Amino acid sequence: MFRTLIAALAATLVLAVPTAAGSPVATSPTFLSQTDCFESTPDHESWLDSVQQNAGDKPIPKALLQSLVPARAFSFARSAFDCRIVSYSSDGQIVLAYVIRPRMMDASGKLPLLVYNRGGNGNYGKLDPLQVFMKLLPLAKSGFMVVASQYRDADEFGGNDVNDVMRLIDLSLEMPGVDAERIFLLGQSRGAMMSYLVARQRGDITAMATIGGVSDLVAGLASRPEMERVYSARIPGYEDDRQAALVARSAFHWAEQLPADMPVLLLHGEADDRVSVQDPIAMAARLQQLGRPHRLVVYPGDDHGLRGSWRSAHAEIRDWFKGAGTHPHGTR
């Protein structure tokens, strides 16, 4: 399951350590706590053991991990990035997050802020050390300050948990070396819903991108009825008015409320069996109707996580954010 992604990641991360790497910059004192990501696993061997032991019901053979995440990649990560696990308060809830910055600053002395919104619900899909290597470190390597919330334990699937992302953005903007003029949202699966909800409430988002993202929970429920169990368990008041609860979380139904000048990149696998490719196609058509900047990229035969096109998808995201929405409207 992990071979394609981690192999691409290894090729991405195993590079010469920057010669001008600076010292780590402390994160904001407004975080309740912060711990180095590698504090409990300071060497490659202990990291491998930890990932293997915490893989849950899908253990990864240590030999496979060792071949796909070699010691050189681990050493590079420790040298090139300041990676922290932080806790913060959101609506009185204690929430955990990752904060990762490359030690090399850009020419301006400030780094753009990239807010990664994970998929899943509850504990399912929570970010772990392996996902840090697969998803977050490559983004930081491209020159972004990367932050990613785990969301509160009382997950409302697009309810008050949206405040957890809002709060993390505000706290991140208090950290030194963060460029408040360049704030990007990257949402994967459910995280796309979170990104749309955040963007609707803020006027400072420069651009956003989605991977296998959902924008219409109403239509999605028709093709994947088993999601009703998640909605019923997570969304407050769902049984009282199901339609209203789903529409409130579906950007397709209120796309006109998104910032008019915020470019949206939609990346999706044609063979996605969790979120139909018809979802981003419909969202792109809606954005086109509104005259909003956007780009849709569909990867033939690929799945929900774009495992077969990860390098290409990463390049699309990097270039989209670096260009800050200078791409023309339309699809590919």
Side-chain angles (χ1 to χ4, degrees), residues 238-321:
Y238 179 73
E239 299 299 335
D240 298 331
D241 193 338
R242 301 182 180 190
Q243 180 77 7
L246 296 181
V247 168
R249 290 161 170 78
S250 301
F252 174 81
H253 294 275
W254 36 262
E256 69 281 355
Q257 297 178 32
L258 295 171
D261 59 349
M262 181 189 70
V264 180
L265 173 66
L266 304 104
L267 306 180
H268 217 93
E270 183 186 36
D272 191 333
D273 62 354
R274 297 189 184 183
V275 179
S276 170
V277 70
Q278 295 305 314
D279 184 298
I281 290 174
M283 186 61 177
R286 181 71 179 123
L287 293 171
Q288 182 70 29
Q289 181 184 47
L290 293 169
R292 303 296 177 80
H294 70 282
R295 177 176 172 82
L296 169 65
V297 181
V298 175
Y299 295 92
D302 214 343
D303 60 11
H304 186 59
L306 298 182
R307 286 182 294 171
S309 311
W310 188 248
R311 282 190 181 183
S312 176
H314 177 82
E316 289 278 359
I317 294 165
R318 179 197 63 216
D319 293 346
W320 186 257
F321 288 157

Side-chain angles (χ1 to χ4, degrees), residues 189-193 196 212-217 220 231 249 251 268 275 279:
S189 191
R190 169 262 182 93
M193 172 191 69
Y196 285 124
V214 58
S215 65
D216 189 352
L217 277 68
Y231 301 154
R249 290 161 170 78
H268 217 93
V275 179
D279 184 298

Side-chain angles (χ1 to χ4, degrees), residues 85-217:
I85 301 172
V86 304
S87 66
Y88 62 100
S89 177
S90 174
D91 298 336
Q93 305 280 325
I94 304 301
V95 184
L96 298 179
Y98 281 96
V99 175
I100 305 173
R101 75 167 75 219
R103 298 188 194 277
M104 290 285 289
M105 303 293 286
D106 70 3
S108 69
K110 291 186 176 182
L111 293 170
L113 179 66
L114 194 161
V115 183
Y116 176 83
N117 292 317
R118 71 171 181 87
N121 66 91
N123 287 325
Y124 176 72
K126 276 196 171 181
L127 294 165
D128 58 28
L130 184 57
Q131 290 194 63
V132 168
F133 267 82
M134 289 194 298
K135 299 175 180 179
L136 304 187
L137 292 180
L139 296 169
K141 180 180 175 294
S142 292
F144 299 99
M145 170 82 167
V146 179
V147 298
S149 177
Q150 298 280 34
Y151 313 142
R152 64 186 63 187
D153 290 338
D155 185 357
E156 297 183 2
F157 206 80
N160 286 328
D161 44 285
V162 174
N163 293 339
D164 303 343
V165 181
M166 298 280 284
R167 179 64 174 153
L168 180 59
I169 294 174
D170 291 338
L171 290 173
S172 299
L173 292 176
E174 295 179 11
M175 291 188 284
V178 176
D179 188 350
E181 301 299 318
R182 293 182 291 169
I183 305 175
F184 305 109
L185 301 177
L186 173 58
Q188 187 156 7
S189 191
R190 169 262 182 93
M193 172 191 69
M194 303 291 282
S195 296
Y196 285 124
L197 289 165
V198 167
R200 181 172 63 168
Q201 298 181 59
R202 302 185 70 99
D204 57 357
I205 304 301
T206 307
M208 68 170 281
T210 69
I211 301 173
V214 58
S215 65
D216 189 352
L217 277 68

